[in-house]
Amino acid sequence: MKRKQKHLMLTMSAYKKTDVHPSTFILIGIPGLEAAHIWISIPFCMVYILALLGNCSLLFIIKTDSSLQEPMYLFLCMLAVADLIVCTTAVPKLLSLFWFHDREIPFEACLTQVFLIHSFSTMESGFFLAMAFDRYVAICNPLRHSAILTHSSTGGMGLAIVFRGTALLSPHPFLLRWLPYCRTNIISHTYCEFMALIKIACAETRIRKAYSLIVAFLTGGVDFILIICSYVLILHTVFHLPSKDARLKTLGTCGSHVCVILVSYTPAFFSFLTHRFGHHAAPHVHIFVANIYLLVRPMVNPIIYGVRTKKIWDRFPKFFIFSKSLK
């Protein structure tokens, strides 16, 4: 432990003599729990492997089964791709840090990591909204579902979500690049995050923080409000159905989506609020929640949809048979 602290102090002292734009940043990991990094990495690695297997199997099943070429499953494919990109952007470097003490990350790679994590997380929120819209049309206006959500309109919605995430989050790396980092190049986190870099800058950052808050509200905040509105309308329609069995069956079609939303938005909002307003929260608490947001959600999404969706669950054995045949 003393050797690691000495290494970090030498890095800081050397850094103070360099330019205000560092060539590399130093990732701490989880402050205060450095001695437990190896043990923490074991569940993190297992969750990452499960996330890769689960999302790849979902993509394979939906791609190869023509009966699953429906808007809900196409949006699920888009969500799976975004999940894979988000966790793969952060986890390999995280495991390298935990296993090999590889703390350095180049400045450009750090900014790229910020963009990919934030932009694809924003896209995931958009896909949740698109899936909620699909459920709304299917339940509240079932006769027009196939006319409203055609393959072209589904693809158009997916492209619009990708464009929104790219356009609104593209300024983030440039806002960070133009900041001077004259205090330190040490980031108290397991990966590069917008607010983590803002905290170590030695310049006025109120405008940048304001922009980040506005983007967060215009994406995740507005999406969440619209999702709630869609489910209010869905519940209004469901409770006007004539029989209890019909109500339960209709609500059952929304169960997977509701579970995934709860799993996704709960740690996301907690992480967002503690990073900006929870100044007295222990650093390792926020970092744990941030990592749970990146890791657990990509693992849980295919499990929830696989278990609760019979069409997908029945086809999981085919995926593993196909995987074995490739060996």
Side-chain angles (χ1 to χ4, degrees):
M1 180 64 72
K2 289 182 179 179
R3 190 181 298 172
K4 292 178 184 176
Q5 290 176 347
K6 186 178 179 181
H7 171 72
L8 290 176
M9 289 177 68
L10 289 172
T11 303
M12 288 179 67
S13 61
Y15 171 75
K16 289 177 182 177
K17 299 174 184 177
T18 63
D19 191 76
V20 293
H21 292 95
S23 59
T24 60
F25 284 112
I26 307 296
L27 294 168
I28 291 293
I30 304 177
L33 297 177
E34 289 87 354
H37 276 177
I38 290 293
W39 299 106
I40 296 169
S41 70
I42 295 171
F44 278 19
C45 182
M46 292 176 64
V47 169
Y48 178 55
I49 291 170
L50 288 173
L52 291 178
L53 289 174
N55 285 288
C56 288
S57 61
L58 262 184
L59 291 170
F60 173 79
I61 290 166
I62 295 171
K63 173 68 175 176
T64 56
D65 196 318
S66 58
S67 68
L68 293 175
Q69 305 299 308
E70 300 174 8
M72 188 67 172
Y73 301 116
L74 295 176
F75 288 133
L76 184 57
C77 279
M78 299 175 196
L79 179 64
V81 171
D83 279 340
L84 287 170
I85 292 173
V86 168
C87 63
T88 302
T89 299
V91 177
K93 179 61 183 177
L94 180 152
L95 294 176
S96 176
L97 188 158
F98 283 1
W99 291 344
F100 310 113
H101 306 295
D102 180 19
R103 299 172 182 272
E104 292 190 1
I105 181 169
F107 184 74
E108 300 295 335
C110 189
L111 296 184
T112 302
Q113 198 176 60
V114 169
F115 170 72
L116 289 174
I117 290 173
H118 288 286
S119 62
F120 279 91
S121 295
T122 298
M123 293 175 203
E124 288 170 336
S125 176
F127 296 138
F128 287 136
L129 176 59
M131 294 162 83
F133 178 69
D134 171 80
R135 290 300 85 202
Y136 163 74
V137 176
I139 293 170
C140 299
N141 202 351
L143 297 178
R144 297 197 60 205
H145 181 263
S146 58
I148 294 172
L149 284 164
T150 61
H151 280 280
S152 59
S153 63
T154 300
M157 289 172 67
L159 286 174
I161 290 167
V162 171
F163 176 77
R164 183 190 70 166
T166 303
L168 290 178
L169 276 301
S170 290
H172 273 52
F174 297 101
L175 293 174
L176 293 171
R177 176 186 289 277
W178 296 330
L179 283 173
Y181 300 94
C182 51
R183 295 189 192 126
T184 180
N185 66 336
I186 295 176
I187 302 172
S188 297
H189 214 300
T190 55
Y191 60 87
C192 293
E193 189 188 36
F194 183 79
M195 287 303 298
L197 286 169
I198 285 289
K199 286 182 177 180
I200 65 171
C202 52
E204 180 56 57
T205 58
R206 281 183 295 181
I207 294 175
R208 290 169 173 83
K209 288 179 181 178
Y211 178 78
S212 178
L213 284 169
I214 291 168
V215 168
F217 175 75
L218 290 177
T219 54
V222 171
D223 289 348
F224 188 67
I225 291 169
L226 292 175
I227 289 170
I228 290 174
C229 291
S230 69
Y231 272 99
V232 168
L233 295 172
I234 287 170
L235 290 174
H236 180 266
T237 301
V238 167
F239 288 129
H240 282 81
L241 293 175
S243 67
K244 183 179 178 181
D245 290 340
R247 289 195 291 270
L248 291 174
K249 185 177 180 180
T250 305
L251 285 175
T253 63
C254 302
S256 301
H257 187 236
V258 171
C259 291
V260 167
I261 287 171
L262 291 175
V263 168
S264 300
Y265 276 98
T266 302
F269 281 131
F270 184 83
S271 179
F272 176 81
L273 292 173
T274 54
H275 218 331
R276 285 161 176 79
F277 308 111
H279 303 294
H280 300 293
H284 65 269
V285 173
H286 164 72
I287 294 171
F288 257 120
V289 173
N291 282 285
I292 287 171
Y293 174 70
L294 287 186
L295 277 167
V296 174
R297 181 190 55 192
M299 179 196 71
V300 169
N301 288 352
I303 292 174
I304 290 174
Y305 276 99
V307 172
R308 293 185 59 90
T309 308
K310 191 176 185 301
K311 283 185 176 181
I312 295 176
W313 180 251
D314 290 343
R315 287 158 180 79
F316 261 105
K318 293 182 181 179
F319 173 74
F320 292 107
I321 291 169
F322 176 77
S323 299
K324 288 180 181 178
S325 67
L326 293 177
K327 294 180 181 180

